[in-house]
Amino acid sequence: MRIAIVGGGLSGLAVCYHLLSKDRTLKIELFEKEGIGSGASGAAAGLLHPYTGSLAQLNWGSKDAIAATIQLLNAAAHAIGKSTYKKSGIVRCAINLEDQKSFSKIVQTQDDVSLWDPDHTYNQTGIYRPALFIPGGLSVYTDLYLKGIWILCAHYGAKLVSQTFILNDSAHFDKVILACGADIANLYPSLNLVLKRGEILICEKKLIYGIIGNGYLSLTDQSNICYLGTTSRKDLKYITLDEATNLIRYQIDPWVKMDIKVLGYKSGIRVYRSLDSYYPIIDQLDSKTWCFTGLGSRGLMYHAYLGYILAKAILQQSSNLIPRPFKISNKTVI
Ligand SMILES: Cc1cc2nc3c(=O)[nH]c(=O)nc-3n(C[C@H](O)[C@H](O)[C@H](O)COP(=O)(O)OP(=O)(O)OC[C@H]3O[C@@H](n4cnc5c(N)ncnc54)[C@H](O)[C@@H]3O)c2cc1C
């Protein structure tokens, strides 16, 4: 079977890996117009934990999904000969009373998190806030991870096609998987996806934990470099380093009183199913075409798990294998 995968980000690489893990005879061409990891995936800060969202509720299927990600992270680490993540722990600082109430409730039902009082958070992070501590939270080195996964896909026989895929190219393939991040909104406008641009600053600073509050700080594979981000803009406008620095510092300064030297930045577009649902989308668009999109800010959490399910659904020609929350809503007309 000849398969085109459009996009070399988290979603495209995950489905490529799982397809080839199930069947090495597949002829897969991975179209990537700008290089592996050049979309949102290359700009991801690398924070991975199951208590995302404004109220830090445990996300649907998150434990299985994160286990699937860790399996791929380890496979990629083996391929590249370097660690692709660190179990750093993540500190979610409370910004307001609502956060504090929500964190207090969560520790009553979940045994993998604990509450920190402001003094303890300050001693550990330099930030004086009550916090939810997630010891199992990971800092993923996304660049290394994407490289490692691509090495495995290429080893299993996938070919990289460094050009833009257009829908007419579908004629040459038995199956087409659109895992092309924000560009799917142009190819299939009827999906009515919500797009938001975000930036992360690359900064000189040592961190022990990933930290989330009114913005976030994350570790990288270099011990003296971290990422700092807050932005999420519907205008999608590309901004300069100075503009990104001002925007992020303005939002984060009242919260993080730290001296941080900015070295550069990365920018990418997150894709959401809608403003009120965080479920990504995997589904069949027509007899030949499947889509994998809407990972929003939970790309690291869901890509490996959904890549596995999508690969199975495609090989068994059955979209019924896709759990309902991840299917295109019935209201969406294609
Ligand atoms: C600033 C920022 C910080 C983030 N931080 C985190 C985080 O800490 N944790 C987390 O879990 N998630 C985070 N995310 C979200 C995460 O990055 C995304 O959910 C995920 O990367 C989406 O992956 P994707 O493969 O669907 O899309 P993308 O990574 O955008 O990949 C799509 C690829 O398709 C290619 N492409 C598009 N159209 C075509 C075409 N026609 N032909 C050929 N190639 C094409 C593009 O060049 C691109 O490389 C962050 C996102 C941003 C922007």
Side-chain angles (χ1 to χ4, degrees), residues 1-6 29 31 165-178 188 286-289:
M1 188 173 1
R2 214 172 152 201
I3 302 179
I5 297 177
V6 187
E29 292 179 42
F31 285 75
F165 181 93
I166 54 169
L167 287 180
N168 284 347
D169 293 329
S170 299
H172 307 295
F173 296 93
D174 303 304
K175 301 282 170 212
V176 173
I177 303 162
L178 299 175
Y188 278 88
D286 60 42
S287 59
K288 177 183 279 198
T289 317

Side-chain angles (χ1 to χ4, degrees), residues 7 10-11 32-33 38-41 45-47 165 180 183 268 270 296 299-300:
L10 290 170
S11 55
E32 174 47 68
K33 60 180 180 171
S38 55
S41 304
L47 295 165
F165 181 93
C180 50
D183 289 72
R270 301 179 184 94
L300 287 168

Side-chain angles (χ1 to χ4, degrees), residues 90-167:
I90 291 179
V91 182
R92 266 205 77 161
C93 297
I95 298 303
N96 49 40
L97 259 180
E98 209 184 350
D99 286 348
Q100 280 188 51
K101 280 187 200 155
S102 158
F103 294 175
S104 304
K105 265 195 202 157
I106 287 163
V107 291
Q108 285 169 20
T109 55
Q110 305 297 329
D111 56 11
D112 58 354
V113 285
S114 57
L115 279 183
W116 282 3
D117 64 34
D119 286 329
H120 189 65
T121 313
Y122 184 76
N123 288 336
Q124 295 295 322
T125 65
I127 298 168
Y128 192 78
R129 298 269 177 178
L132 181 74
F133 180 52
I134 310 159
L138 304 186
S139 297
V140 175
Y141 311 143
T142 316
D143 293 346
L144 291 177
Y145 169 51
L146 292 167
K147 275 187 198 142
I149 283 293
W150 172 247
I151 289 173
L152 287 173
C153 292
H155 179 69
Y156 294 162
K159 299 266 175 293
L160 181 63
V161 183
S162 301
Q163 65 188 53
T164 301
F165 181 93
I166 54 169
L167 287 180

Side-chain angles (χ1 to χ4, degrees), residues 26 94 127 176 186 194 204 225 289 333:
L26 297 170
I127 298 168
V176 173
N186 296 327
V194 176
E204 197 176 278
I225 306 288
T289 317
V333 182

Side-chain angles (χ1 to χ4, degrees), residues 246-312:
N246 289 339
L247 204 60
I248 291 173
R249 295 299 321 221
Y250 174 76
Q251 289 180 39
I252 217 155
D253 268 357
W255 173 63
V256 181
K257 306 243 177 280
M258 291 179 187
D259 199 20
I260 295 177
K261 184 173 164 196
V262 177
L263 305 173
Y265 81 129
K266 301 185 188 192
S267 174
I269 299 179
R270 301 179 184 94
V271 183
Y272 298 85
R273 165 191 291 264
S274 71
L275 285 177
D276 50 17
S277 166
Y278 65 74
Y279 291 112
I281 297 173
I282 47 171
D283 213 340
Q284 188 162 16
L285 297 171
D286 60 42
S287 59
K288 177 183 279 198
T289 317
W290 297 71
C291 70
F292 188 172
T293 186
L295 286 164
S297 44
R298 291 166 171 84
L300 287 168
M301 189 190 301
Y302 285 121
H303 73 290
Y305 175 70
L306 295 182
Y308 175 82
I309 295 173
L310 182 59
K312 204 163 143 189

Side-chain angles (χ1 to χ4, degrees), residues 86-91 116 123-125 133 139 205-211 218-219 223 226:
K86 182 173 182 185
K87 194 172 165 188
S88 57
I90 291 179
V91 182
W116 282 3
N123 288 336
Q124 295 295 322
T125 65
F133 180 52
S139 297
K205 176 161 183 63
K206 278 196 168 77
L207 279 186
I208 299 173
Y209 305 104
I211 304 172
S218 63
L219 283 74
S223 64
C226 76

